[in-house]
Amino acid sequence: MEDLSIKYVSVEKPENLEKHRTEGFSSSKPLVVRRGAPFKISLQLKGRPFNPQTDTVGIKVMLGRLYVTMPVTFSTKVSSSRWSAYMDPEFMNLQTPSIFISSPASASVGSYRFQLHLFTQESKRRYNLGKFILLCNPWCREDAVYIPFEDQREEYVQNDSGLLFMGTTKNLVSRPWSFDQYEPSILETCLNLLQVSPQHQRGRRSDYLNRNNPIYIGRVVSAMINSEDDRGVLKGNWSNNFKEGVHPSTWTGSGDILKQWALSGYRPVKYGQCWVFAAVMCTVMRALGIPCRVVTNYNSAHDTNKNLVIEEYYNEKGEKLNYSKDSIWNFHVWVECWMARQDLGSGMNGWQVLDPTPQERSGGVFCCGPAPVKAIKDQRIDMFYDIPFVYAEVNADVHTVIVSQGRGVGYSKDTERVGSLICTKAVGLPRLQNITGDYKFIKSPNPSLASRSSTVAEDSTLRRASSSKKVLVSLSLDKAPVAGEPISFTVKVINKQDVAKTMKVCLNAQAKEYNNSPSETFWESHGIMQLAPMEVKVLSQQILPVQYEDVVGDDLINLAVVLEDTASQELCLASEEFNIASPNLLIQVEDENSTGLNKEQTATVIFTNPFSQPVSGVLTVAGAGLIQEKLLFRMPLLPPGLSVEQRITFIPNKVGTKMLQASLTLTNIRSTIRGFKMISIKI
């Protein structure tokens, strides 16, 4: 009789993908599975039947030059701490047996090769089975990234789209983003990111061994997203000169960035800013199986001298001056990853801050974290990693100084402005979740912030007022500014003395990027105000669209008022920084309740021009799982107040809730208009 041999081996891809919740990676050539759970391969034997008494099977699994060899047993009891393989004797067919291979819950993440060794009395044979990719497993209790709620696993691991929060707390901007972790080649690129890292190049064996730990992976990825120390993914640029690359606001998803990086031979993609760095890192961590979410900190401090104080300077006209290396970003975006902190104790388990935006070095490299959110709140600066830096980002005090003829002539202090709102996308819903209380003890909770999404709500901690012993001045917006409408605001002045006063009033508006000092003044107003004893006066002011549309675009505005007592020359200042809400593109889907896999669908994108002048631009439509390649359309000149519609067709190729997003980049106004629609694709 012919000796026993193997005719072919099946890796049972559909079954394994479903059991390991990796169906999204079906386009990956290797099988994709999660650690701490068995996966199945099936054998088709030829020759005589398999004889358990005389025939033995072994499995060899290899990661680089590391390997483990295991006998295939008939015991279905597997250990969560070591590799094992077994045949289930209850379901064993001696001609087509199945083998279950189980990895430890602490196995290293990576692309493995594996072999099957068949030993009979007559021969020894070896069969190469190809490759499989092993990811972290948030569904496995023994895994360091285990997160206990299914809706959170769906949101923070499986969801391939989300919202990034930008703007200011008075005018939140929800920017749609496609994480794209299931798009073809993206998972392989995320794994190659680990291979390209300096840690891997310095010592492959130690790198492979350390990849069992999400703390280590997080630090490697945080450093590799920026290109400051390595062949990282993105080059940062805050110079306002993007001629050699792409303006960061142009990106709509991580897939284009990661593909460009891989196709270029791992040369940095130009350019990124904080939300782009964070969103791409979120893609990589979700692809590797580590729960991850994008977090925005409003009024984020960069405290360069580590004294927990940010100094801001203004001149007597109300113009903000670039005198300090310290800065406050109107918003800053990082990520949180969920993991156990066995190095710090179970009290520090849970969400950890990781920040790939290159600001300060950590361990000699531009990376940040993982810093436990619990440790930041408790000011545990004795713990790893980078807790003092993140603590300052959410807690520093702001000291404002008015400078005249080289000396400070007016001072004020704000203890609540920094870290006034910290938020992320809510689980399962396209709205904001307020997580400020996770980071800091809130002095005066504002209930309106707890439940609001991208709508406007009052926030008393951002109302900026200044007073001397004699005069109090405050500045407040009448409503959230909207593109195409006047910016209306009110200045309130209170004479606190029984003496009449003559006051010089200087109002000043400067455009600014979210992370920089303002540029030149684009609007100002001057006047004289007479104040009777103990009088309260209110000034109502407007900045018209024609005065700001060509200047501001996606930038913000720094608005300030300075009062000078003509008798005493005493100065006081009040200021606000705010953004102007852009209109949204409206997306309508035909037969929305009958959207199906591989079934042609039709959608319409609608734009109404709110500006005071005609506009034209380029419309881009994209959607992971919905549209294979981005669709581009040129929009002709559209007069003010009129609408234009663009009809598109697409064929969904993935099941689940998918994001269809559109962005209109205007050519004659510095602005990009965006919109998105969540579509449920059924089988």
Side-chain angles (χ1 to χ4, degrees):
M1 180 181 287
E2 184 185 352
D3 188 22
L4 174 65
S5 62
I6 296 176
K7 187 175 182 180
Y8 73 84
V9 179
S10 169
V11 296
E12 302 292 353
K13 197 170 183 179
E15 180 181 339
N16 285 318
L17 292 180
E18 181 181 358
K19 287 186 176 178
H20 286 254
R21 298 172 178 86
T22 51
E23 302 103 311
F25 299 114
S26 58
S27 63
S28 170
K29 188 175 179 181
L31 174 67
V32 182
V33 293
R34 301 190 186 276
R35 63 189 189 180
F39 65 93
K40 174 180 160 184
I41 63 172
S42 298
L43 313 181
Q44 176 69 52
L45 304 179
K46 64 178 181 178
R48 62 173 176 80
F50 181 80
N51 183 348
Q53 305 302 319
T54 60
D55 304 325
T56 58
V57 179
I59 299 290
K60 184 178 182 181
V61 172
M62 295 157 281
L63 181 62
R65 293 184 178 179
L66 301 176
Y67 68 90
V68 61
T69 302
M70 68 203 97
V72 177
T73 70
F74 294 95
S75 171
T76 59
K77 291 182 180 180
V78 297
S79 169
S80 64
S81 61
R82 59 183 177 82
W83 287 90
S84 58
Y86 65 90
M87 293 184 189
D88 191 338
E90 288 189 28
F91 302 97
M92 186 170 168
N93 182 318
L94 296 181
Q95 203 63 39
T96 57
S98 294
I99 298 173
F100 295 86
I101 302 170
S102 185
S103 62
S106 59
S108 294
V109 168
S111 179
Y112 287 76
R113 293 171 292 124
F114 66 138
Q115 298 173 341
L116 185 145
H117 296 181
L118 178 61
F119 302 93
T120 69
Q121 290 181 324
E122 294 85 6
S123 65
K124 299 177 183 178
R125 288 189 172 92
R126 184 178 69 187
Y127 300 87
N128 288 319
L129 304 179
K131 295 180 179 180
F132 66 90
I133 292 171
L134 191 66
L135 308 178
C136 292
N137 191 352
W139 286 264
C140 175
R141 290 181 180 275
E142 291 78 20
D143 197 310
V145 303
Y146 172 71
I147 191 167
F149 302 106
E150 179 60 24
D151 61 343
Q152 292 185 351
R153 293 188 287 255
E154 289 177 5
E155 179 69 46
Y156 301 136
V157 180
Q158 294 180 297
N159 199 348
D160 61 355
S161 64
L163 298 177
L164 314 180
F165 293 100
M166 302 166 71
T168 63
T169 54
K170 293 214 167 172
N171 221 356
L172 294 176
V173 174
S174 305
R175 176 170 293 186
W177 190 270
S178 185
F179 293 114
D180 296 329
Q181 69 264 36
Y182 301 126
E183 292 300 286
S185 79
I186 295 300
L187 175 58
E188 287 77 6
T189 300
C190 294
L191 291 169
N192 287 340
L193 179 146
L194 301 178
Q195 302 292 102
V196 172
S197 72
Q199 289 87 340
H200 187 76
Q201 299 303 314
R202 280 196 301 266
R204 300 189 177 193
R205 175 184 170 82
S206 61
D207 175 59
Y208 280 135
L209 290 171
N210 285 327
R211 283 194 208 169
N212 70 330
N213 187 345
I215 300 169
Y216 174 83
I217 294 172
R219 284 186 68 76
V220 171
V221 174
S222 174
M224 281 297 297
I225 296 299
N226 71 74
S227 62
E228 295 303 305
D229 308 290
D230 43 47
R231 298 164 68 194
V233 177
L234 279 159
K235 177 70 175 173
N237 186 343
W238 290 268
S239 71
N240 225 357
N241 179 1
F242 305 103
K243 289 181 180 177
E244 293 184 13
V246 172
H247 192 296
S249 290
T250 305
W251 302 114
T252 59
S254 304
D256 288 344
I257 295 168
L258 288 166
K259 287 175 185 175
Q260 183 176 326
W261 179 64
L263 290 171
S264 71
Y266 308 112
R267 288 197 295 269
V269 176
K270 299 176 180 179
Y271 294 101
Q273 291 182 1
C274 69
W275 72 92
V276 187
F277 287 111
V280 174
M281 181 162 184
C282 186
T283 296
V284 176
M285 299 306 270
R286 287 186 184 183
L288 299 179
I290 300 173
C292 188
R293 63 188 186 183
V294 180
V295 170
T296 301
N297 176 38
Y298 283 95
N299 296 316
S300 188
H302 186 178
D303 180 21
T304 56
N305 56 9
K306 300 178 174 59
N307 64 349
L308 289 178
V309 173
I310 305 296
E311 295 87 7
E312 293 190 331
Y313 298 90
Y314 287 81
N315 65 18
E316 63 270 26
K317 294 181 182 178
E319 294 174 324
K320 199 172 186 181
L321 305 171
N322 191 17
Y323 277 10
S324 173
K325 290 184 179 180
D326 289 349
S327 61
I328 297 176
W329 295 16
N330 291 84
F331 63 88
H332 180 47
V333 185
W334 56 66
V335 301
E336 290 176 358
C337 292
W338 182 277
M339 64 185 73
R341 290 304 299 268
Q342 293 160 346
D343 57 330
L344 301 179
S346 60
M348 294 297 130
N349 291 349
W351 290 115
Q352 316 284 320
V353 171
L354 287 143
D355 190 350
T357 299
Q359 295 185 87
E360 298 284 339
R361 294 187 186 273
S362 172
V365 176
F366 276 108
C367 68
C368 179
V373 173
K374 292 176 184 175
I376 296 163
K377 185 171 183 175
D378 294 339
Q379 203 177 352
R380 292 294 305 275
I381 59 175
D382 56 312
M383 290 183 165
F384 295 124
Y385 294 87
D386 308 305
I387 292 164
F389 180 75
V390 183
Y391 180 84
E393 287 185 296
V394 301
N395 282 295
D397 292 342
V398 183
H399 291 185
T400 301
V401 183
I402 306 174
V403 178
S404 179
Q405 297 179 350
R407 62 187 185 91
V409 295
Y411 303 88
S412 63
K413 178 181 177 181
D414 191 336
T415 61
E416 296 184 30
R417 179 177 164 202
V418 167
S420 56
L421 173 63
I422 306 169
C423 63
T424 188
K425 178 188 174 296
V427 174
L429 296 169
R431 63 173 178 81
L432 171 151
Q433 178 185 346
N434 183 357
I435 57 173
T436 313
D438 295 348
Y439 280 81
K440 57 200 294 186
F441 296 96
I442 302 171
K443 298 170 187 174
S444 53
N446 188 336
S448 66
L449 282 177
S451 60
R452 75 176 178 170
S453 57
S454 57
T455 57
V456 177
E458 290 299 315
D459 181 359
S460 60
T461 65
L462 284 189
R463 280 185 178 260
R464 309 284 303 287
S466 175
S467 73
S468 65
K469 294 177 181 178
K470 303 171 184 177
V471 176
L472 170 68
V473 59
S474 64
L475 177 105
S476 60
L477 296 169
D478 296 346
K479 65 172 187 173
V482 177
E485 297 180 11
I487 300 168
S488 301
F489 62 96
T490 300
V491 178
K492 186 177 181 180
V493 184
I494 302 173
N495 185 357
K496 297 162 67 177
Q497 291 188 312
D498 287 324
V499 180
K501 298 183 185 300
T502 300
M503 310 294 296
K504 286 183 182 177
V505 183
C506 290
L507 289 157
N508 182 283
Q510 299 164 276
K512 73 180 292 289
E513 294 183 21
Y514 75 98
N515 67 308
N516 269 327
S517 294
S519 55
E520 294 180 2
T521 296
F522 71 86
W523 176 90
E524 59 184 336
S525 176
H526 306 276
I528 299 291
M529 175 187 292
Q530 302 294 337
L531 286 175
M534 307 300 289
E535 184 181 9
V536 178
K537 268 198 174 172
V538 174
L539 295 176
S540 294
Q541 294 281 338
Q542 285 190 335
I543 304 175
L544 300 175
V546 70
Q547 295 170 306
Y548 69 74
E549 281 179 350
D550 292 335
V551 180
V552 178
D554 288 335
D555 290 343
L556 298 100
I557 292 177
N558 186 87
L559 181 65
V561 56
V562 173
L563 296 185
E564 180 183 353
D565 188 328
T566 56
S568 66
Q569 278 78 54
E570 191 172 3
L571 298 169
C572 57
L573 171 143
S575 65
E576 279 279 8
E577 289 187 346
F578 58 89
N579 57 308
I580 299 173
S582 293
N584 290 324
L585 295 175
L586 178 63
I587 302 177
Q588 297 175 340
V589 178
E590 292 182 13
D591 300 324
E592 195 172 337
N593 295 323
S594 62
T595 49
L597 186 68
N598 299 320
K599 180 181 176 183
E600 186 175 282
Q601 305 293 148
T602 302
T604 304
V605 181
I606 305 168
F607 169 66
T608 302
N609 180 10
F611 300 102
S612 62
Q613 56 185 292
V615 295
S616 60
V618 176
L619 175 69
T620 305
V621 182
L626 300 173
I627 298 174
Q628 298 285 74
E629 299 289 338
K630 286 184 176 180
L631 306 174
L632 298 176
F633 305 94
R634 186 165 296 281
M635 187 190 78
L637 204 63
L638 183 68
L642 295 188
S643 298
V644 64
E645 297 184 359
Q646 179 63 56
R647 192 176 165 90
I648 63 164
T649 58
F650 58 97
I651 301 176
N653 62 1
K654 281 193 169 62
V655 174
T657 302
K658 300 298 172 186
M659 176 188 281
L660 181 65
Q661 59 169 312
S663 60
L664 175 61
T665 302
L666 300 179
T667 51
N668 56 334
I669 287 184
R670 295 173 58 243
S671 188
T672 300
I673 317 299
R674 297 177 176 84
F676 71 96
K677 177 81 172 176
M678 304 308 295
I679 305 174
S680 179
I681 305 301
K682 307 171 188 68
I683 296 177

